[in-house]
Amino acid sequence: MNCDKKDLLLYAVTDSTWLNGRTLSEVVEESLEGGVTFLQLREKKLDREAFLEEAKALKKLAEKYHVPLVINDNVDIALEMDADGVHVGQSDMEAGDVRAKLGPDKIIGVSARTVEQAILAEQRGADYLGVGAVFQTGTKLDAKPLDHKVLKAITEAVSIPVVAIGGITRENIPELAGNGVAGVAVVSAIYAQKDIRAVAKELKEITAKMVQQ
């Protein structure tokens, strides 16, 4: 499965923190109905069995809405439940090793914060990059926001699509215009909201305008 640039427009990263008694599948389906175009399962607090169960449930939803599903960090689980791919950080595993394990047909995303990291990830077989944090973020308190000049330099240095991540809200998405990103990756901007479907729809519209500028 190839990673199409347009699939990365509204990239949602799961977080069970805000479920409020609902299931992960319920909130994810609402976000897919609203227009999420790419899904990453990232649940740091689940044990392997629970994670695998959630992964299988989300795979069915992703297929239903024709949206790629990638697993955060865990290449073995991605292989076991036949996810569309995996997203890894700089320290998790070199993209080349991931490609050797997953084979040629899976999507590999890699986190990058510098032009050097971005170029290396592309050389080692990454299909897209997650770059950030582009704004101050609550999920990674130690992450200093990335200068948007660096973001632009990264998008110009690689030929694979780049997704901006970190602290993104409906208010600040327009500030990313002109930096060459294919889309935005969001966590709380979707999943911490009351009306997930409506918020996803609005974020998709705002992002579509931003990437065209």
Side-chain angles (χ1 to χ4, degrees), residues 84-171:
D84 295 310
V86 70
H87 186 94
V88 293
Q90 282 293 316
S91 58
D92 297 313
M93 203 190 234
E94 299 293 357
D97 296 342
V98 180
R99 177 61 72 206
K101 262 189 145 177
L102 285 180
D105 302 328
K106 298 292 186 186
I107 297 168
I108 297 175
V110 179
S111 300
R113 273 185 69 85
T114 67
V115 171
E116 292 74 24
Q117 288 175 350
I119 291 168
L120 200 57
E122 180 175 28
Q123 286 170 350
R124 290 187 171 153
D127 294 296
Y128 73 90
L129 300 173
V131 175
V134 291
F135 299 106
Q136 196 64 50
T137 168
T139 44
K140 291 193 176 171
L141 297 172
D142 57 343
K144 247 176 60 185
L146 188 76
D147 188 324
H148 290 181
K149 286 183 190 144
V150 178
L151 176 63
K152 190 169 191 200
I154 288 172
T155 64
E156 288 172 353
V158 296
S159 57
I160 53 176
V162 171
V163 180
I165 188 165
I168 290 169
T169 64
R170 58 189 290 280
E171 290 79 21

Side-chain angles (χ1 to χ4, degrees), residues 48-109:
R48 184 182 168 85
E49 209 170 303
F51 188 95
L52 197 54
E53 208 171 294
E54 291 289 15
K56 286 176 178 171
L58 291 199
K59 187 186 174 197
K60 284 182 184 155
L61 280 178
E63 284 172 351
K64 178 180 170 186
Y65 289 89
H66 309 292
V67 164
L69 169 68
V70 297
I71 304 297
N72 188 58
D73 292 350
N74 200 318
V75 178
D76 294 330
I77 280 188
L79 277 170
E80 191 174 331
M81 48 76 64
D82 195 27
D84 295 310
V86 70
H87 186 94
V88 293
Q90 282 293 316
S91 58
D92 297 313
M93 203 190 234
E94 299 293 357
D97 296 342
V98 180
R99 177 61 72 206
K101 262 189 145 177
L102 285 180
D105 302 328
K106 298 292 186 186
I107 297 168
I108 297 175

